[in-house]
Amino acid sequence: MANIPFTYLVGVDGGGTSCRARICDIAGNVIGEAKTGSANILLGAEIAMESIQQAIALAAQQAQLTPADYPNMAIGLALAGAEQQQAWHAFMQQPHPYGAITLNTDAYGACLGAWGGQNGAILIAGTGSCGILLQDGNQHVVGGREFPISDQGSGAIMGLRLIQQVLLSVDGIVPTTELAQHVLSHFEHDIDAIVSWSKTARPCDYGQFSPVIFSFAAQNDSLAVSLLQQTAADIEMWMQALIVRGATRICLMGGIGERIQTWLTPPMQQRLATPQGDAMDGAIAMARGNHNLFVR
């Protein structure tokens, strides 16, 4: 790739909730940045590509670039769902206008960014969750097998558990709390509406309730507190799995990861490190070279 005269490096961080694109010149100076909808490739390669192209187009507009500049762009894609080989190949087979693209997981991009391209471990807890340790060129991954069968410690799982508890409270099996009443109000106290919603609800739809859970926990709502305690325990489970594989310090990243830290036990809090950068920094690093997870 070093022999190809790219003028721009583009980093894309795509998850279940949003897709962010950052354009840099070859020296690494940021000249444009934008955000669009979901780019989890397991939700559809075409949907993800559309979000990515929209984000890059918006960032390019900010940088005063046009589609004529796209062939001069090297794209590093750090996307949720890229660990699934079939989905990876389906995405990479799509046509695109860019000079080159390299695709790896959002966790890989985040880990590269967090540790400045060096060895290290992270645990992403956002809409989904995934842990990764980069060690001497090898990737060790825990979790990240997508909602609802994995992703413990994520906003999506926390939201799913919340809905389950709300329905149990309606049946009089567990106490009704103010948080449960808030959720019922959201659905206009229509249980059938909750059931219908659940049939098509995506991870981000469940994850939308996570900020409310944190808010009610601050008011000592018993349901909110129990949900955050369970989420913290899940995150410690993933952290321990990374430690067993050789991690010494771990960066907690993502909307849940950044807010859950005070809920962790003191020994696990002592394992935490501050990220040097984010997934888009890692994706920019990916754009500089071949970081493909699979062979195209």
Side-chain angles (χ1 to χ4, degrees):
M1 181 168 170
N3 298 325
I4 305 173
F6 292 111
T7 310
Y8 306 103
L9 301 171
V10 183
V12 177
D13 170 32
T17 303
S18 65
C19 172
R20 299 181 299 158
R22 179 181 295 161
I23 302 178
C24 297
D25 60 24
I26 209 68
N29 301 305
V30 178
I31 59 174
E33 196 165 310
K35 180 178 177 179
T36 54
S38 171
N40 182 330
I41 65 175
L42 289 183
L43 299 179
E46 293 179 0
I47 294 170
M49 181 64 87
E50 185 177 353
S51 290
I52 289 160
Q53 292 188 337
Q54 286 177 355
I56 293 174
L58 289 170
Q61 190 175 11
Q62 194 181 100
Q64 297 184 319
L65 302 177
T66 70
D69 295 297
Y70 291 175
N72 297 319
M73 294 178 177
I75 316 290
L77 299 172
L79 304 182
E83 69 280 353
Q84 213 279 337
Q85 191 165 354
Q86 188 175 355
W88 187 97
H89 284 287
F91 181 90
M92 292 294 277
Q93 285 166 7
Q94 296 182 95
H96 64 81
Y98 312 111
I101 61 173
T102 180
L103 172 60
N104 211 306
T105 66
D106 53 343
Y108 180 85
C111 201
L112 274 184
W115 293 97
Q118 304 301 310
N119 289 344
I122 65 159
L123 178 60
I124 299 178
T127 304
S129 67
C130 184
I132 183 170
L133 168 65
L134 298 183
Q135 198 168 48
D136 302 324
N138 296 313
Q139 295 185 56
H140 304 278
V141 179
V142 296
R145 295 182 177 89
E146 299 292 325
F147 179 87
I149 61 170
S150 184
D151 282 1
Q152 293 93 332
S154 72
I157 290 291
M158 189 160 44
L160 172 61
R161 288 173 176 157
L162 169 61
I163 296 298
Q164 290 172 337
Q165 291 299 308
V166 167
L167 294 178
L168 289 175
S169 75
V170 169
D171 290 339
I173 295 168
V174 301
T176 299
T177 72
E178 289 186 18
L179 171 58
Q181 285 298 325
H182 175 89
V183 175
L184 287 170
S185 297
H186 176 85
F187 290 100
E188 299 180 343
H189 295 270
D190 185 345
I191 304 306
D192 286 344
I194 297 178
V195 175
S196 297
W197 169 85
S198 73
K199 300 305 180 187
T200 57
R202 300 163 299 167
C204 59
D205 296 323
Y206 283 100
Q208 71 176 310
F209 295 106
S210 58
V212 174
I213 295 171
F214 279 99
S215 296
F216 277 89
Q219 301 168 30
N220 207 30
D221 181 278
S222 60
L223 174 55
V225 168
S226 68
L227 288 168
L228 289 189
Q229 287 173 336
Q230 193 167 13
T231 298
D234 287 342
I235 284 173
E236 292 196 5
M237 171 187 73
W238 295 130
M239 289 179 67
Q240 186 58 43
L242 290 168
I243 291 165
V244 167
R245 285 160 176 78
T248 54
R249 305 288 300 283
I250 300 167
C251 294
L252 260 187
M253 306 176 77
I256 305 300
E258 291 164 3
R259 299 187 68 179
I260 201 71
Q261 298 184 14
T262 57
W263 292 81
L264 302 180
T265 59
M268 283 303 187
Q269 288 187 32
Q270 291 168 14
R271 290 277 191 172
L272 298 179
T274 302
Q276 297 173 27
D278 62 13
M280 282 198 290
D281 293 315
I284 291 290
M286 288 167 56
R288 292 186 182 273
N290 183 2
H291 290 259
N292 282 320
L293 181 55
F294 301 107
V295 176
R296 191 169 182 180

